[in-house]
């Protein structure tokens, strides 16, 4: 009975995620339909010949009616084919795949660092309550814009630590360069520490915590069983939501550190009005994040058995 | 919270979101932010120019003041737009819980919540190439999802609240109950959620500036000045100090106001 309920819930989530994906495709289509003027002319510039504009219009499907274009776009999105870049004619999907893999690796690394730092801080406070003032300090970056702390530290590091940030080692994908991900981890670490700190202080006055203490559980058992386990769904939700903040702070950080990643790709495509590339970026990222949300929601019944009931 | 304190808080918020940007813009204009002065290029701060001059010899104080006014004004414009959308759509969704308006609006909220917000804004700005206020119009159109979710939950809870049941029993029409019994109560959490986004929106300007979107030169915005200042940190460190200081000051003020608003939510209605 319970397994069936969980399966039904998963199916419902999957259908909902698929509808969100369709919504993202429609939103992208709407955005790119609303390009002021002729997209092909805008992309190629005022000096391009009329034939090449007509060829590009045909390639982008602009000479077909809207419904046909939409159907064709959905079909090619299902095949992961987003056309070719206007700048140099490379296929969009592999290019985005390569560049965003770098950025997402950096992002995952940053979020992992952030989780480690914030849990370590909270554990220290758990064992030594007098260190609680550290939590107040750790909350400071939340007040500032998420970019600001990252940009400030990144530029400071680029000025004073040239040996560490050198982009010579940056051609690897994993492990990604450490300094950019450390810089990107500042804001999510702060958010995680403050939100989890608030959650834990609420848990400390919950009945289960008091009875666990009355049963004489040691501090370390309390930490893992009475605080960490009940807040696991919160941690998961925070990780997913912070990942999107981090990835897009990284677009800017990558430009500062001149790393070859999604940031530089976006910069070049924006400057050249490379519409197929921008559309691909939007749809592929929507796909990635909808999948991530779906996966995290599928984990909820495991982390929080009440959801499955 | 005492009534007089609440009125003071409302006044302080209006002063911060509406009057401060106007005053900063007027101050900036009065101090002449645009005229270049090549003889004094990159002059260090002195008693005439408290914040020094930039690489074209323009007054940094005037530019920072104008930029702060424009950035804060654009941010509060986006926030007020997002707040109205959030109250309207979140309210409708909560009011018609489980029916098609709720399903549709919740679906749109979920969609905007899953697609990374910054990416959406950057792509939309890359397509439409709007100016500063156009960019923040886009921001306002995309940022309402989180406060709308709160407003929806609030309306959902309020449908069963005793004072709403009482009003219904007294025979008030649904529109009156919506406007007078639920909207004012649901407004507080949504406004708090929106106010806390202010620093983020000022920071968004930095991000847009990196991609050459948003306001175009010579219009100064905090993002642009911050970027310019940080990229010449070795030769003219004073260029970065003033914009940094004012971003921090505005962020801390917005955060403090949001904290006070959060405290103003009556404990009896707090979740």
């Amino acid at each position: 009975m319970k397994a069936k309920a969980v399966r039904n819930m998963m199916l419902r989530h999957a259908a909902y995620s698929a509808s969100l994906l369709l919504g993202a495709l429609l939103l992208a289509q709407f955005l790119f339909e609303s390009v002021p003027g002729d997209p092909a002319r805008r992309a190629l510039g005022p000096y391009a010949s009329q034939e090449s504009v007509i060829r590009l219009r045909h390639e982008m499907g602009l000479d077909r009616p809207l419904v046909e274009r939409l159907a064709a776009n959905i079909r090619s999105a299902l095949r992961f084919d987003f056309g070719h870049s206007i700048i140099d004619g490379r296929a969009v999907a592999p290019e985005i795949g390569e560049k965003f893999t770098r950025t997402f690796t950096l992002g995952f690394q940053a979020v992992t660092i952030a989780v480690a730092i914030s849990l370590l801080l909270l554990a220290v406070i758990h064992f030594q309550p007098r260190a609680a003032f550290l939590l107040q300090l750790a909350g400071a970056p939340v007040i500032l814009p998420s970019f600001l702390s990252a940009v400030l530290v990144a530029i400071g590091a680029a000025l004073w630590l040239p040996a560490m940030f050198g982009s010579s080692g940056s051609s690897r994908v994993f492990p990604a360069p450490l300094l950019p991900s450390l810089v990107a981890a500042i804001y999510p670490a702060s958010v995680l520490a403050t939100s989890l700190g608030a959650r834990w202080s609420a848990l400390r006055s919950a009945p289960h915590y008091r009875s666990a203490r009355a049963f004489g559980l040691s501090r370390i058992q309390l930490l893992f069983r009475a605080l960490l386990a009940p807040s696991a769904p919160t941690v998961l939700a925070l990780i997913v939501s912070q990942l999107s903040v981090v990835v897009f702070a990284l677009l800017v950080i990558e430009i500062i550190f001149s790393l070859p990643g999604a940031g530089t790709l976006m910069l070049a495509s924006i400057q050249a009005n490379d519409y197929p590339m921008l559309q691909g970026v939007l749809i592929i990222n929507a796909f990635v994040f909808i999948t991530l949300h779906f996966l995290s929601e599928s984990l909820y019944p495991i982390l929080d058995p009440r959801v499955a009931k | 919270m005492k009534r007089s304190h609440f009125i003071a808080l409302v006044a302080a918020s209006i002063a911060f979101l509406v009057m401060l940007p106007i005053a900063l813009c007027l101050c900036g204009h009065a101090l002449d932010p645009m005229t270049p002065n090549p003889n004094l290029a990159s002059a260090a701060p002195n008693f005439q120019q408290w914040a020094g001059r930039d690489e074209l010899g323009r007054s940094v104080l005037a530019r920072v003041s104008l930029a702060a006014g424009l950035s804060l004004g654009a941010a509060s414009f986006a926030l007020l737009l997002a707040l109205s959308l959030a109250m309207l759509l979140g309210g409708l969704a909560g009011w018609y819980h489980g029916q098609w308006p709720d399903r549709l609006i919740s679906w749109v909220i979920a969609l905007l919540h899953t697609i990374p917000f910054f990416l959406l804004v950057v792509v939309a700005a890359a397509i439409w190439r709007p100016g500063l206020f156009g960019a923040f119009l886009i921001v306002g159109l995309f940022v309402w999802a989180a406060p709308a979710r709160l407003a929806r939950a609030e309306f959902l809870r309020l449908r069963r609240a005793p004072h709403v049941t009482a009003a219904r029993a007294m025979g008030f029409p649904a529109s009156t109950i919506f406007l007078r019994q639920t909207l004012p109560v649901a407004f507080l959490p949504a406004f708090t959620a929106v106010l806390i986004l202010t620093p983020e929106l000022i920071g968004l300007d930095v991000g847009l500036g990196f991609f050459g979107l948003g306001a175009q030169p010579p219009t100064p915005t905090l993002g642009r000045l911050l970027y310019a200042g940080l990229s010449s940190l070795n030769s003219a460190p004073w260029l970065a100090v003033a914009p940094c200081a004012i971003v921090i000051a505005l962020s801390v003020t917005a955060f403090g106001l949001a904290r006070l608003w959060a405290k103003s939510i009556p404990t009896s209605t707090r979740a």
Side-chain angles (χ1 to χ4, degrees):
Chain A
M1 180 61 206
K2 201 175 144 192
K4 200 179 169 192
V6 170
R7 208 185 57 211
N8 281 345
M9 198 177 77
M10 297 273 282
L11 279 177
R12 248 197 340 270
H13 278 169
Y16 199 68
S17 303
S19 83
L20 286 181
L21 198 56
L22 188 67
L25 281 172
L26 288 176
L27 182 65
Q29 186 77 20
F30 163 74
L31 281 178
F32 288 92
E33 289 299 328
S34 69
V35 172
D38 181 355
R41 175 53 81 184
R42 266 184 66 137
L44 291 176
Y47 302 115
S49 68
Q50 192 59 33
E51 295 101 79
S52 51
V53 172
I54 291 174
R55 207 175 328 120
L56 184 60
R57 282 182 66 84
H58 180 72
E59 202 182 304
M60 289 164 82
L62 291 170
D63 47 2
R64 281 175 289 163
L66 174 61
V67 179
E68 202 177 308
R69 198 155 67 227
L70 182 59
N73 273 356
I74 292 177
R75 235 178 295 136
S76 48
L78 289 179
R79 280 185 275 117
F80 254 74
D81 170 19
F82 298 96
H84 296 273
S85 161
I86 290 173
I87 305 178
D88 47 12
R90 278 176 301 179
V92 163
E95 179 74 10
I96 294 174
E98 188 203 325
K99 295 286 160 62
F100 271 89
T101 308
R102 287 175 185 281
T103 308
F104 271 95
T105 316
L106 262 177
F108 275 115
Q109 198 168 299
V111 172
T112 315
I113 293 173
V115 172
I117 291 176
S118 51
L119 285 182
L120 198 64
L121 177 68
L122 287 171
V124 167
I125 293 171
H126 178 71
F127 287 110
Q128 182 51 265
R130 264 183 298 172
F133 70 94
L134 285 176
L135 198 57
Q136 302 283 331
L137 283 182
V142 177
I143 305 175
L144 298 179
S146 60
F147 284 106
L148 190 66
S149 50
V151 168
L152 287 180
V153 177
I155 292 185
L159 279 177
W160 292 301
L161 301 169
M164 262 178 87
F165 101 100
S167 52
S168 52
S170 62
S171 52
R172 313 162 277 163
V173 176
F174 187 82
L178 189 61
L179 194 56
S181 43
L182 268 178
V183 162
I186 297 173
Y187 184 80
S190 176
V191 170
L192 274 159
T194 9
S195 334
L196 268 186
R199 178 96 179 86
W200 281 18
S201 69
L203 281 178
R204 284 206 181 89
S205 52
H208 80 276
Y209 188 83
R210 273 180 290 162
S211 41
R213 279 190 69 177
F215 275 115
L217 262 68
S218 68
R219 278 202 172 267
I220 194 151
Q221 279 174 318
L222 280 176
L223 175 66
F224 279 100
R225 296 181 54 187
L227 291 177
L228 207 50
S231 57
T234 320
V235 177
L236 187 64
L238 280 169
I239 288 175
V240 174
S241 73
Q242 285 307 306
L243 190 65
S244 94
V245 176
V246 163
V247 165
F248 297 98
L250 277 171
L251 294 185
V252 175
I253 295 171
E254 278 178 343
I255 298 177
I256 298 173
F257 284 90
S258 52
L259 293 172
T264 29
L265 175 74
M266 291 284 290
L267 191 61
S269 344
I270 288 170
Q271 278 165 354
N273 280 328
D274 191 346
Y275 297 120
M277 188 67 91
L278 288 174
Q279 193 166 11
V281 166
L282 190 60
I283 295 175
I284 291 179
N285 275 284
F287 178 75
V288 168
F289 278 96
I290 289 171
T291 316
L292 275 178
H293 274 265
F294 171 68
L295 288 179
S296 79
E297 271 169 19
S298 318
L299 278 179
Y300 274 2
I302 302 171
L303 295 179
D304 186 354
R306 285 171 304 177
V307 177
K309 275 181 193 157
Chain B
M1 180 175 262
K2 272 196 228 157
R3 192 177 175 83
S4 57
H5 287 186
F6 187 72
I7 291 169
L9 182 57
V10 172
S13 305
I14 293 174
F16 178 69
L17 289 175
V18 182
M19 279 143 76
L20 184 63
I22 296 175
L24 282 170
C25 280
L26 290 178
C27 270
H29 267 297
L31 290 170
D32 184 18
M34 297 297 183
T35 320
N37 192 342
N39 297 331
L40 293 171
S42 301
N46 54 35
F47 284 107
Q48 271 88 43
Q49 283 299 330
W50 296 346
R53 289 178 180 274
D54 69 359
E55 69 286 354
L56 295 178
R58 294 172 294 194
S59 154
V60 171
L61 189 66
R63 289 179 69 73
V64 166
S65 171
L66 180 60
L70 286 175
S71 292
L72 184 61
S76 61
F77 163 69
L79 291 177
L80 293 181
L81 179 66
L83 181 67
S84 358
L85 279 173
M87 289 311 294
L88 183 71
L89 295 174
L92 280 176
W95 194 257
Y96 292 105
H97 172 61
Q99 298 166 36
W100 69 264
D102 178 30
R103 297 235 174 117
L104 182 65
I105 293 168
S106 299
W107 184 80
V108 175
I109 291 176
L111 183 66
L112 288 181
H113 182 74
T114 27
I115 302 181
F117 166 70
F118 179 58
L119 185 71
L120 200 55
V121 170
V122 165
V123 170
I127 288 172
W128 293 322
R129 304 279 165 165
L132 176 65
F133 279 85
F136 276 81
L137 179 72
I138 299 174
V139 169
L141 288 178
F142 290 140
V143 85
W144 57 271
R149 202 170 253 194
L150 271 180
R152 176 179 175 273
E154 203 53 21
F155 270 90
L156 212 60
R157 192 178 61 77
L158 284 171
R159 276 182 358 140
R160 304 252 170 275
H163 73 282
V164 173
T165 316
R168 201 170 277 148
M170 283 153 93
F172 284 119
S175 56
T176 312
I177 297 177
F178 184 84
L179 287 175
R180 303 214 34 202
Q181 312 292 329
T182 52
L183 201 64
V185 185
F187 176 80
L188 288 174
F191 186 68
T192 310
V194 156
L195 202 56
I196 216 146
L197 289 173
T198 319
E200 207 45 54
L201 292 199
I202 294 173
L204 195 67
D205 184 48
V206 185
L208 287 175
F210 269 84
F211 292 107
L213 303 166
Q216 298 302 315
T219 313
T221 65
L222 283 179
R224 195 170 289 283
L225 290 185
L226 205 58
Y227 183 49
L230 291 172
S231 48
S232 60
L233 204 55
N234 272 337
S235 52
W238 57 89
L239 290 182
V241 173
C244 260
I246 203 147
V247 168
I248 293 172
L250 292 179
S251 306
V252 172
T253 316
F255 189 77
L257 278 176
R259 283 280 290 266
L260 286 176
W261 275 98
K263 266 189 203 157
S264 80
I265 301 172
T267 33
S268 59
T269 66
R270 225 179 264 172

